[in-house]
Coordinates of all heavy atoms in Angstrom, one line a residue:
M1 N -19.0 -3.1 -63.4 CA -20.2 -3.3 -62.6 C -20.6 -1.9 -62.0 O -19.8 -1.2 -61.4 CB -20.1 -4.3 -61.5 CG -20.1 -5.7 -62.0 SD -20.0 -7.0 -60.7 CE -18.2 -7.0 -60.5
L2 N -21.9 -1.6 -62.0 CA -22.4 -0.4 -61.4 C -22.5 -0.6 -59.9 O -22.8 -1.7 -59.4 CB -23.8 -0.1 -62.0 CG -23.8 0.2 -63.5 CD1 -25.2 0.4 -64.0 CD2 -23.0 1.5 -63.8
R3 N -22.3 0.5 -59.2 CA -22.5 0.5 -57.8 C -23.3 1.6 -57.3 O -23.3 2.7 -58.0 CB -21.1 0.5 -57.1 CG -20.3 -0.7 -57.3 CD -19.0 -0.7 -56.6 NE -18.2 0.4 -57.2 CZ -17.1 0.9 -56.6 NH1 -16.6 0.5 -55.5 NH2 -16.4 1.9 -57.2
A4 N -24.0 1.5 -56.2 CA -24.8 2.5 -55.6 C -23.9 3.5 -54.8 O -23.1 3.0 -54.0 CB -25.9 1.9 -54.7
D5 N -24.0 4.8 -55.1 CA -23.1 5.7 -54.4 C -23.3 5.7 -52.9 O -24.4 5.8 -52.4 CB -23.4 7.2 -55.0 CG -23.0 7.4 -56.4 OD1 -22.1 6.6 -56.9 OD2 -23.5 8.3 -57.1
G6 N -22.2 5.7 -52.2 CA -22.2 5.8 -50.8 C -22.7 4.6 -50.0 O -22.9 4.7 -48.8
L7 N -22.8 3.5 -50.7 CA -23.4 2.3 -50.0 C -22.4 1.1 -50.0 O -22.9 -0.1 -49.9 CB -24.7 1.9 -50.7 CG -25.8 3.0 -50.6 CD1 -27.1 2.5 -51.3 CD2 -26.2 3.3 -49.1
S8 N -21.2 1.4 -50.2 CA -20.2 0.3 -50.3 C -20.2 -0.7 -49.1 O -20.0 -1.9 -49.2 CB -18.8 0.8 -50.5 OG -18.7 1.5 -51.8
E9 N -20.5 -0.1 -47.9 CA -20.5 -0.9 -46.7 C -21.6 -2.0 -46.7 O -21.6 -2.9 -45.9 CB -20.6 -0.1 -45.5 CG -19.4 0.8 -45.2 CD -19.6 1.6 -44.0 OE1 -20.3 1.3 -43.1 OE2 -18.9 2.7 -43.9
A10 N -22.6 -1.8 -47.6 CA -23.7 -2.7 -47.7 C -23.5 -3.8 -48.8 O -24.4 -4.7 -48.9 CB -25.0 -2.0 -48.0
I11 N -22.4 -3.8 -49.5 CA -22.1 -4.8 -50.5 C -21.8 -6.1 -49.8 O -21.1 -6.2 -48.8 CB -20.9 -4.4 -51.4 CG1 -21.3 -3.2 -52.2 CG2 -20.5 -5.6 -52.3 CD1 -20.1 -2.6 -53.0
V12 N -22.5 -7.2 -50.2 CA -22.3 -8.5 -49.7 C -21.8 -9.5 -50.7 O -21.5 -10.7 -50.3 CB -23.6 -9.0 -49.0 CG1 -24.0 -8.2 -47.8 CG2 -24.8 -9.1 -50.0
G13 N -21.8 -9.2 -52.0 CA -21.3 -10.1 -52.9 C -21.6 -9.7 -54.4 O -22.0 -8.5 -54.6
I14 N -21.6 -10.7 -55.2 CA -21.9 -10.5 -56.6 C -23.0 -11.5 -57.0 O -23.1 -12.6 -56.5 CB -20.6 -10.9 -57.5 CG1 -19.4 -10.0 -57.1 CG2 -21.0 -10.8 -59.0 CD1 -19.6 -8.5 -57.3
C15 N -23.9 -11.0 -57.8 CA -25.1 -11.8 -58.2 C -24.8 -12.2 -59.6 O -24.6 -11.4 -60.5 CB -26.4 -10.9 -58.1 SG -27.9 -11.8 -58.4
R16 N -24.9 -13.6 -59.8 CA -24.7 -14.1 -61.2 C -26.1 -14.5 -61.8 O -26.9 -15.1 -61.1 CB -23.8 -15.4 -61.1 CG -22.4 -15.1 -60.7 CD -21.5 -16.0 -61.5 NE -20.3 -15.3 -61.7 CZ -19.1 -15.9 -61.6 NH1 -19.1 -17.2 -61.4 NH2 -18.0 -15.2 -61.8
R17 N -26.2 -14.2 -63.1 CA -27.5 -14.6 -63.8 C -27.1 -15.2 -65.1 O -26.2 -14.6 -65.8 CB -28.3 -13.3 -63.9 CG -28.6 -12.7 -62.6 CD -29.2 -11.3 -62.7 NE -28.3 -10.4 -63.4 CZ -28.6 -9.2 -63.9 NH1 -29.8 -8.8 -63.9 NH2 -27.7 -8.5 -64.5
C18 N -27.7 -16.2 -65.5 CA -27.5 -16.9 -66.8 C -27.6 -15.9 -67.9 O -28.6 -15.3 -68.1 CB -28.4 -18.1 -66.9 SG -28.1 -19.0 -68.4
G19 N -26.6 -15.8 -68.7 CA -26.6 -15.1 -69.9 C -26.6 -13.6 -69.7 O -26.8 -12.8 -70.7
Q20 N -26.4 -13.1 -68.5 CA -26.3 -11.7 -68.2 C -25.0 -11.4 -67.4 O -24.4 -12.3 -66.8 CB -27.5 -11.3 -67.4 CG -28.8 -11.5 -68.1 CD -30.0 -11.1 -67.3 OE1 -30.0 -10.2 -66.5 NE2 -31.1 -11.9 -67.4
E21 N -24.6 -10.1 -67.4 CA -23.4 -9.8 -66.7 C -23.7 -9.8 -65.2 O -24.8 -9.7 -64.7 CB -23.0 -8.4 -67.1 CG -23.9 -7.2 -66.7 CD -23.5 -5.9 -67.2 OE1 -23.6 -5.5 -68.3 OE2 -22.9 -5.1 -66.3
D22 N -22.6 -10.1 -64.5 CA -22.7 -10.1 -63.0 C -23.0 -8.7 -62.5 O -22.7 -7.7 -63.1 CB -21.3 -10.5 -62.4 CG -21.0 -12.0 -62.7 OD1 -21.8 -12.7 -63.2 OD2 -19.8 -12.3 -62.4
V23 N -23.7 -8.6 -61.4 CA -24.1 -7.3 -60.8 C -23.7 -7.4 -59.3 O -23.6 -8.4 -58.7 CB -25.5 -7.0 -60.9 CG1 -25.9 -6.8 -62.4 CG2 -26.5 -8.0 -60.3
V24 N -23.5 -6.2 -58.7 CA -23.2 -6.1 -57.3 C -24.4 -6.4 -56.5 O -25.5 -6.0 -56.9 CB -22.6 -4.7 -57.0 CG1 -22.4 -4.5 -55.5 CG2 -21.4 -4.4 -57.8
L25 N -24.3 -7.1 -55.4 CA -25.4 -7.5 -54.5 C -25.3 -6.7 -53.2 O -24.2 -6.8 -52.5 CB -25.4 -9.0 -54.3 CG -26.5 -9.5 -53.4 CD1 -27.9 -9.3 -54.0 CD2 -26.3 -11.0 -53.1
Y26 N -26.3 -6.1 -52.8 CA -26.4 -5.3 -51.6 C -27.4 -5.9 -50.6 O -28.4 -6.5 -51.0 CB -26.9 -3.9 -51.8 CG -25.9 -3.0 -52.6 CD1 -25.8 -3.0 -54.0 CD2 -25.0 -2.2 -51.9 CE1 -24.9 -2.3 -54.7 CE2 -24.1 -1.4 -52.6 CZ -24.1 -1.4 -54.0 OH -23.2 -0.7 -54.7
N27 N -27.1 -5.7 -49.3 CA -27.9 -6.2 -48.2 C -28.9 -5.0 -47.9 O -28.5 -3.9 -47.5 CB -27.1 -6.5 -47.0 CG -27.9 -6.9 -45.8 OD1 -28.9 -6.2 -45.4 ND2 -27.5 -8.0 -45.1
E28 N -30.2 -5.3 -48.1 CA -31.2 -4.2 -47.8 C -31.2 -3.7 -46.4 O -31.2 -2.4 -46.2 CB -32.6 -4.8 -48.1 CG -33.7 -3.8 -47.8 CD -35.1 -4.4 -48.1 OE1 -35.5 -4.5 -49.2 OE2 -35.8 -4.8 -47.1
D29 N -31.0 -4.5 -45.4 CA -31.0 -4.0 -44.0 C -29.9 -3.1 -43.8 O -30.0 -2.1 -43.1 CB -30.9 -5.2 -43.1 CG -32.2 -6.0 -43.0 OD1 -33.3 -5.5 -43.3 OD2 -32.1 -7.2 -42.7
K30 N -28.7 -3.4 -44.4 CA -27.5 -2.5 -44.2 C -27.7 -1.2 -44.9 O -27.3 -0.2 -44.4 CB -26.3 -3.3 -44.7 CG -25.0 -2.5 -44.5 CD -24.7 -2.3 -43.0 CE -23.4 -1.5 -42.8 NZ -23.2 -1.1 -41.4
V31 N -28.3 -1.2 -46.1 CA -28.6 0.0 -46.9 C -29.5 0.9 -46.0 O -29.2 2.1 -45.9 CB -29.3 -0.3 -48.2 CG1 -29.8 1.0 -48.9 CG2 -28.3 -1.0 -49.2
L32 N -30.6 0.3 -45.4 CA -31.5 1.1 -44.6 C -30.8 1.7 -43.4 O -31.0 2.8 -43.0 CB -32.7 0.3 -44.2 CG -33.6 -0.1 -45.4 CD1 -34.6 -1.1 -44.9 CD2 -34.2 1.1 -46.0
E33 N -29.9 0.9 -42.8 CA -29.1 1.3 -41.6 C -28.2 2.5 -42.0 O -28.1 3.5 -41.3 CB -28.2 0.2 -41.1 CG -27.4 0.5 -40.0 CD -26.5 -0.7 -39.6 OE1 -27.0 -1.8 -39.4 OE2 -25.3 -0.5 -39.4
I34 N -27.6 2.5 -43.2 CA -26.8 3.6 -43.7 C -27.6 4.8 -43.9 O -27.2 5.9 -43.5 CB -26.0 3.2 -45.0 CG1 -25.0 2.1 -44.7 CG2 -25.4 4.4 -45.6 CD1 -24.4 1.5 -45.9
L35 N -28.8 4.7 -44.5 CA -29.6 5.9 -44.7 C -30.1 6.5 -43.4 O -30.1 7.7 -43.3 CB -30.8 5.5 -45.6 CG -30.5 5.0 -47.0 CD1 -31.8 4.5 -47.7 CD2 -29.9 6.2 -47.8
V36 N -30.4 5.7 -42.4 CA -30.8 6.2 -41.1 C -29.6 6.9 -40.4 O -29.7 8.1 -40.0 CB -31.4 5.1 -40.2 CG1 -31.5 5.5 -38.8 CG2 -32.7 4.6 -40.8
E37 N -28.5 6.2 -40.3 CA -27.3 6.8 -39.6 C -26.7 8.0 -40.3 O -26.4 9.0 -39.7 CB -26.3 5.7 -39.3 CG -26.8 4.7 -38.3 CD -25.9 3.5 -38.1 OE1 -24.7 3.6 -38.6 OE2 -26.2 2.6 -37.4
R38 N -26.4 7.8 -41.6 CA -25.6 8.8 -42.4 C -26.5 10.0 -42.7 O -26.1 11.1 -42.7 CB -25.1 8.2 -43.6 CG -24.2 9.1 -44.5 CD -23.9 8.6 -45.8 NE -25.2 8.5 -46.6 CZ -25.3 7.8 -47.7 NH1 -24.3 7.0 -48.1 NH2 -26.5 7.8 -48.4
D39 N -27.7 9.7 -43.2 CA -28.6 10.8 -43.7 C -29.6 11.3 -42.7 O -30.4 12.2 -43.0 CB -29.3 10.3 -45.0 CG -28.3 10.0 -46.1 OD1 -27.1 10.4 -45.9 OD2 -28.7 9.3 -47.0
G40 N -29.7 10.7 -41.5 CA -30.6 11.2 -40.5 C -32.0 11.0 -40.7 O -32.9 11.7 -40.2
M41 N -32.3 10.0 -41.5 CA -33.7 9.6 -41.8 C -34.3 8.7 -40.7 O -33.5 8.0 -40.1 CB -33.9 8.9 -43.1 CG -33.4 9.6 -44.3 SD -33.6 8.6 -45.8 CE -32.8 9.6 -47.0
D42 N -35.6 8.8 -40.5 CA -36.1 7.7 -39.6 C -36.3 6.5 -40.5 O -36.2 6.6 -41.7 CB -37.4 8.2 -38.9 CG -38.6 8.4 -39.8 OD1 -38.7 7.8 -40.8 OD2 -39.4 9.3 -39.5
Y43 N -36.7 5.4 -39.9 CA -36.8 4.1 -40.6 C -37.8 4.2 -41.8 O -37.5 3.8 -42.9 CB -37.1 2.9 -39.7 CG -37.3 1.7 -40.5 CD1 -36.1 0.9 -40.8 CD2 -38.5 1.2 -41.0 CE1 -36.2 -0.2 -41.6 CE2 -38.6 0.0 -41.7 CZ -37.5 -0.7 -42.0 OH -37.6 -1.8 -42.8
N44 N -38.9 4.8 -41.6 CA -40.0 4.9 -42.6 C -39.5 5.8 -43.8 O -39.8 5.5 -44.9 CB -41.3 5.4 -42.0 CG -41.9 4.4 -41.2 OD1 -41.8 3.2 -41.3 ND2 -42.7 4.8 -40.2
E45 N -38.8 6.9 -43.5 CA -38.3 7.7 -44.5 C -37.2 7.0 -45.3 O -37.2 7.1 -46.6 CB -37.6 9.0 -43.9 CG -38.6 10.0 -43.3 CD -37.9 11.1 -42.6 OE1 -36.9 10.8 -41.9 OE2 -38.5 12.2 -42.6
A46 N -36.4 6.3 -44.6 CA -35.3 5.5 -45.3 C -35.9 4.4 -46.2 O -35.4 4.3 -47.3 CB -34.4 4.9 -44.2
K47 N -36.9 3.7 -45.7 CA -37.6 2.7 -46.5 C -38.2 3.3 -47.8 O -38.0 2.7 -48.8 CB -38.6 2.0 -45.6 CG -39.2 0.8 -46.3 CD -38.3 -0.4 -46.4 CE -39.1 -1.6 -46.8 NZ -38.3 -2.8 -47.1
E48 N -38.9 4.4 -47.6 CA -39.5 5.0 -48.8 C -38.5 5.5 -49.8 O -38.6 5.2 -51.0 CB -40.4 6.2 -48.3 CG -41.1 6.8 -49.5 CD -42.1 7.9 -49.0 OE1 -42.4 8.0 -47.8 OE2 -42.4 8.8 -49.9
Y49 N -37.4 6.1 -49.3 CA -36.4 6.6 -50.2 C -35.7 5.4 -50.9 O -35.5 5.5 -52.1 CB -35.3 7.4 -49.3 CG -34.2 7.9 -50.2 CD1 -34.3 9.1 -50.8 CD2 -33.0 7.2 -50.4 CE1 -33.3 9.6 -51.6 CE2 -32.0 7.6 -51.2 CZ -32.1 8.9 -51.8 OH -31.1 9.3 -52.6
Y50 N -35.4 4.4 -50.1 CA -34.8 3.2 -50.6 C -35.6 2.5 -51.8 O -35.1 2.3 -52.9 CB -34.5 2.2 -49.5 CG -34.2 0.8 -49.9 CD1 -32.9 0.5 -50.4 CD2 -35.1 -0.3 -49.9 CE1 -32.6 -0.8 -50.8 CE2 -34.8 -1.5 -50.2 CZ -33.6 -1.8 -50.7 OH -33.3 -3.1 -51.1
E51 N -36.9 2.4 -51.5 CA -37.8 1.7 -52.5 C -37.9 2.5 -53.8 O -37.8 2.0 -54.9 CB -39.2 1.5 -51.9 CG -39.2 0.5 -50.8 CD -39.0 -0.9 -51.2 OE1 -39.2 -1.2 -52.4 OE2 -38.7 -1.8 -50.3
F52 N -38.0 3.8 -53.6 CA -38.3 4.7 -54.8 C -37.0 5.0 -55.5 O -36.9 4.9 -56.8 CB -39.0 6.0 -54.4 CG -39.4 6.8 -55.6 CD1 -40.5 6.5 -56.3 CD2 -38.7 7.9 -55.9 CE1 -40.9 7.2 -57.4 CE2 -39.0 8.7 -57.0 CZ -40.2 8.4 -57.8
N53 N -36.0 5.5 -54.8 CA -34.8 6.0 -55.4 C -33.6 5.1 -55.6 O -32.7 5.3 -56.4 CB -34.2 7.2 -54.6 CG -35.2 8.4 -54.6 OD1 -35.4 9.0 -55.6 ND2 -35.8 8.6 -53.4
I54 N -33.6 4.0 -54.9 CA -32.5 3.0 -55.0 C -33.0 1.8 -55.7 O -32.5 1.5 -56.8 CB -31.9 2.7 -53.6 CG1 -31.3 4.0 -53.0 CG2 -30.8 1.6 -53.8 CD1 -30.8 3.9 -51.6
V55 N -33.9 1.0 -55.2 CA -34.4 -0.2 -55.8 C -35.2 0.2 -57.1 O -35.1 -0.5 -58.1 CB -35.3 -1.0 -54.9 CG1 -36.0 -2.2 -55.6 CG2 -34.5 -1.5 -53.7
G56 N -35.8 1.3 -57.1 CA -36.6 1.8 -58.2 C -35.8 2.4 -59.4 O -36.4 2.8 -60.4
A57 N -34.5 2.5 -59.2 CA -33.7 3.1 -60.2 C -33.2 2.0 -61.2 O -32.4 1.2 -60.8 CB -32.5 3.9 -59.6
W58 N -33.6 2.0 -62.4 CA -33.1 1.1 -63.4 C -32.0 1.8 -64.2 O -32.2 2.8 -64.8 CB -34.3 0.7 -64.4 CG -33.7 -0.2 -65.5 CD1 -33.6 0.1 -66.8 CD2 -33.3 -1.6 -65.3 NE1 -33.1 -1.0 -67.5 CE2 -32.9 -2.0 -66.6 CE3 -33.1 -2.4 -64.3 CZ2 -32.4 -3.3 -66.9 CZ3 -32.6 -3.7 -64.5 CH2 -32.2 -4.1 -65.8
L59 N -30.8 1.2 -64.1 CA -29.7 1.8 -64.8 C -29.1 1.0 -65.9 O -28.0 1.1 -66.3 CB -28.6 2.1 -63.7 CG -29.0 2.9 -62.5 CD1 -27.9 2.8 -61.5 CD2 -29.3 4.3 -62.9
G60 N -30.0 0.1 -66.4 CA -29.6 -0.8 -67.5 C -29.2 -2.2 -66.9 O -29.4 -2.5 -65.7
E61 N -28.6 -3.0 -67.8 CA -28.3 -4.4 -67.4 C -27.4 -4.5 -66.2 O -27.4 -5.5 -65.5 CB -27.7 -5.1 -68.6 CG -28.6 -5.4 -69.7 CD -29.8 -6.3 -69.3 OE1 -29.6 -7.3 -68.6 OE2 -30.9 -5.9 -69.7
G62 N -26.6 -3.5 -65.9 CA -25.6 -3.6 -64.8 C -26.2 -3.1 -63.5 O -25.5 -3.0 -62.5
T63 N -27.5 -2.8 -63.4 CA -28.2 -2.3 -62.2 C -27.9 -3.2 -61.1 O -28.2 -4.5 -61.2 CB -29.7 -2.1 -62.5 OG1 -29.9 -1.1 -63.5 CG2 -30.4 -1.6 -61.2
P64 N -27.5 -2.7 -59.9 CA -27.2 -3.6 -58.8 C -28.5 -4.3 -58.3 O -29.6 -3.9 -58.6 CB -26.7 -2.6 -57.7 CG -26.2 -1.5 -58.4 CD -27.1 -1.4 -59.6
A65 N -28.3 -5.4 -57.6 CA -29.3 -6.2 -57.0 C -29.3 -6.0 -55.5 O -28.3 -5.7 -54.9 CB -29.2 -7.7 -57.3
F66 N -30.5 -6.2 -54.9 CA -30.6 -6.0 -53.4 C -31.4 -7.2 -52.9 O -32.3 -7.7 -53.5 CB -31.4 -4.7 -53.1 CG -30.7 -3.5 -53.7 CD1 -30.9 -3.1 -55.0 CD2 -29.9 -2.8 -52.9 CE1 -30.3 -2.0 -55.5 CE2 -29.2 -1.6 -53.4 CZ -29.4 -1.3 -54.7
Y67 N -30.9 -7.7 -51.7 CA -31.6 -8.8 -51.1 C -32.0 -8.5 -49.7 O -31.5 -7.7 -49.0 CB -30.7 -10.1 -51.2 CG -29.9 -10.3 -49.9 CD1 -30.3 -11.1 -48.9 CD2 -28.6 -9.7 -49.7 CE1 -29.6 -11.3 -47.7 CE2 -27.9 -9.8 -48.6 CZ -28.4 -10.6 -47.6 OH -27.7 -10.8 -46.4
F68 N -33.0 -9.3 -49.3 CA -33.5 -9.2 -47.9 C -33.7 -10.7 -47.5 O -34.0 -11.6 -48.3 CB -34.8 -8.4 -47.7 CG -35.9 -8.8 -48.6 CD1 -36.8 -9.7 -48.1 CD2 -36.0 -8.3 -49.9 CE1 -37.9 -10.1 -48.9 CE2 -37.1 -8.7 -50.7 CZ -38.0 -9.6 -50.2
K69 N -33.6 -10.9 -46.2 CA -33.7 -12.3 -45.6 C -35.1 -12.6 -45.4 O -35.9 -11.8 -45.0 CB -32.9 -12.4 -44.3 CG -31.4 -12.3 -44.5 CD -30.7 -12.5 -43.2 CE -29.2 -12.4 -43.4 NZ -28.5 -12.6 -42.2
F70 N -35.4 -13.9 -45.6 CA -36.7 -14.4 -45.2 C -36.6 -15.1 -43.9 O -35.5 -15.7 -43.6 CB -37.2 -15.5 -46.2 CG -37.9 -14.9 -47.4 CD1 -38.3 -15.8 -48.5 CD2 -38.2 -13.6 -47.6 CE1 -38.9 -15.3 -49.6 CE2 -38.9 -13.1 -48.7 CZ -39.2 -14.0 -49.7
S71 N -37.7 -15.1 -43.1 CA -37.7 -16.0 -41.9 C -37.9 -17.4 -42.4 O -38.3 -17.7 -43.5 CB -38.8 -15.5 -41.0 OG -40.1 -15.8 -41.6
S72 N -37.7 -18.4 -41.5 CA -37.9 -19.8 -41.9 C -39.3 -20.0 -42.2 O -39.7 -20.8 -43.1 CB -37.4 -20.7 -40.8 OG -38.0 -20.4 -39.5
E73 N -40.3 -19.3 -41.5 CA -41.7 -19.4 -41.8 C -42.0 -18.9 -43.2 O -42.8 -19.5 -44.0 CB -42.5 -18.7 -40.8 CG -42.5 -19.3 -39.4 CD -41.3 -18.8 -38.6 OE1 -40.6 -17.8 -39.0 OE2 -41.0 -19.5 -37.6
E74 N -41.4 -17.8 -43.6 CA -41.6 -17.3 -45.0 C -41.0 -18.2 -46.0 O -41.6 -18.4 -47.1 CB -41.0 -15.9 -45.1 CG -41.7 -14.8 -44.3 CD -40.9 -13.5 -44.3 OE1 -39.7 -13.6 -44.0 OE2 -41.5 -12.5 -44.4
I75 N -39.9 -18.8 -45.7 CA -39.3 -19.8 -46.7 C -40.3 -21.0 -46.8 O -40.5 -21.5 -47.9 CB -37.9 -20.2 -46.2 CG1 -37.0 -19.0 -46.4 CG2 -37.4 -21.4 -47.1 CD1 -35.6 -19.2 -45.8
D76 N -40.8 -21.5 -45.7 CA -41.7 -22.6 -45.7 C -42.9 -22.3 -46.6 O -43.4 -23.1 -47.4 CB -42.2 -23.0 -44.3 CG -41.1 -23.7 -43.5 OD1 -40.1 -24.1 -44.1 OD2 -41.2 -23.7 -42.2
E77 N -43.5 -21.1 -46.4 CA -44.6 -20.7 -47.3 C -44.2 -20.6 -48.7 O -45.0 -21.0 -49.6 CB -45.1 -19.3 -46.8 CG -45.9 -19.3 -45.5 CD -46.3 -17.9 -45.1 OE1 -46.6 -17.1 -46.0 OE2 -46.4 -17.7 -43.9
L78 N -43.1 -20.1 -49.0 CA -42.6 -19.9 -50.4 C -42.5 -21.3 -51.1 O -42.8 -21.4 -52.3 CB -41.3 -19.2 -50.4 CG -40.7 -18.9 -51.8 CD1 -41.5 -17.9 -52.5 CD2 -39.3 -18.3 -51.6
I79 N -42.0 -22.3 -50.4 CA -41.8 -23.6 -51.0 C -42.9 -24.6 -50.8 O -42.9 -25.7 -51.4 CB -40.4 -24.2 -50.6 CG1 -40.5 -24.5 -49.1 CG2 -39.3 -23.3 -50.9 CD1 -39.2 -25.3 -48.6
A80 N -43.9 -24.2 -50.1 CA -45.0 -25.1 -49.7 C -45.7 -25.7 -51.0 O -46.1 -26.9 -51.0 CB -46.0 -24.5 -48.8
D81 N -45.8 -24.9 -52.0 CA -46.6 -25.4 -53.2 C -45.7 -25.9 -54.3 O -46.1 -26.2 -55.4 CB -47.4 -24.2 -53.8 CG -48.5 -23.8 -52.8 OD1 -49.0 -24.6 -52.0 OD2 -48.8 -22.6 -52.8
D82 N -44.4 -26.1 -54.0 CA -43.5 -26.6 -55.0 C -43.5 -28.1 -55.0 O -43.1 -28.8 -54.0 CB -42.0 -26.1 -54.6 CG -41.0 -26.5 -55.7 OD1 -41.2 -27.4 -56.5 OD2 -40.0 -25.7 -55.9
P83 N -44.0 -28.7 -56.1 CA -44.2 -30.1 -56.2 C -42.8 -30.9 -56.1 O -42.8 -32.1 -55.8 CB -44.9 -30.4 -57.5 CG -44.6 -29.2 -58.3 CD -44.4 -28.0 -57.3
G84 N -41.7 -30.2 -56.4 CA -40.4 -30.9 -56.4 C -39.8 -31.0 -55.0 O -38.7 -31.6 -54.8
I85 N -40.4 -30.4 -54.0 CA -39.9 -30.4 -52.6 C -40.8 -31.1 -51.7 O -42.0 -30.8 -51.6 CB -39.7 -28.9 -52.1 CG1 -38.7 -28.2 -53.0 CG2 -39.2 -28.9 -50.7 CD1 -38.5 -26.7 -52.7
P86 N -40.4 -32.2 -51.1 CA -41.2 -33.0 -50.2 C -41.8 -32.1 -49.1 O -41.1 -31.2 -48.5 CB -40.3 -34.1 -49.6 CG -39.0 -33.9 -50.3 CD -39.0 -32.7 -51.1
A87 N -43.0 -32.3 -48.7 CA -43.6 -31.6 -47.6 C -42.9 -31.9 -46.3 O -42.5 -33.1 -46.0 CB -45.1 -32.0 -47.5
K88 N -42.8 -30.9 -45.4 CA -42.3 -31.1 -44.1 C -43.2 -31.9 -43.2 O -44.4 -31.7 -43.2 CB -42.0 -29.8 -43.4 CG -40.7 -29.2 -43.7 CD -40.5 -27.9 -42.8 CE -39.1 -27.5 -42.7 NZ -38.9 -26.4 -41.8
T89 N -42.7 -32.8 -42.4 CA -43.5 -33.5 -41.4 C -42.9 -33.2 -40.1 O -41.6 -33.3 -39.9 CB -43.5 -35.0 -41.7 OG1 -42.2 -35.5 -41.7 CG2 -44.2 -35.3 -43.0
D90 N -43.7 -32.9 -39.1 CA -43.2 -32.6 -37.8 C -43.3 -33.7 -36.9 O -44.0 -34.6 -36.9 CB -44.0 -31.4 -37.2 CG -43.7 -30.1 -37.9 OD1 -42.6 -29.9 -38.4 OD2 -44.6 -29.3 -38.1

């Protein structure tokens, strides 16, 4: 499995995908924290670097995956139109 150099502390697990090899899973917030603390970037510089040079780097089928958390409101919006999930009632 491929790993992102210098970001081992941001590894949170393995991502499984049907019919494809497993890939290393990183926490986006932790990656950004590492870039800010280790490399002296401010948050905006770290975010831009992360998006272009890390998430934007395709290294083939073993390219690592990165995740970020949704708020409960974002999750509600994401599933609101899914006909297989009953609507929430308050």
Side-chain angles (χ1 to χ4, degrees):
M1 283 184 276
L2 297 173
R3 291 181 296 166
D5 290 338
L7 299 176
S8 294
E9 292 179 28
I11 294 173
V12 293
I14 303 298
C15 185
R16 290 217 153 142
R17 303 168 298 164
C18 180
Q20 299 177 34
E21 67 182 80
D22 294 348
V23 297
V24 177
L25 180 64
Y26 291 85
N27 177 311
E28 176 181 282
D29 291 333
K30 184 64 178 173
V31 170
L32 293 172
E33 180 183 309
I34 291 168
L35 294 175
V36 168
E37 291 178 6
R38 183 193 68 199
D39 298 344
M41 298 180 188
D42 67 32
Y43 179 82
N44 290 332
E45 290 171 325
K47 184 73 170 175
E48 182 177 341
Y49 181 88
Y50 166 76
E51 292 290 342
F52 187 79
N53 295 292
I54 298 174
V55 173
W58 177 251
L59 306 171
E61 290 299 318
T63 299
F66 299 85
Y67 93 94
F68 56 92
K69 292 183 181 180
F70 276 174
S71 68
S72 58
E73 291 83 16
E74 290 170 316
I75 292 171
D76 289 345
E77 286 178 31
L78 184 66
I79 64 175
D81 296 329
D82 188 332
I85 299 175
K88 274 187 162 182
T89 55
D90 293 322

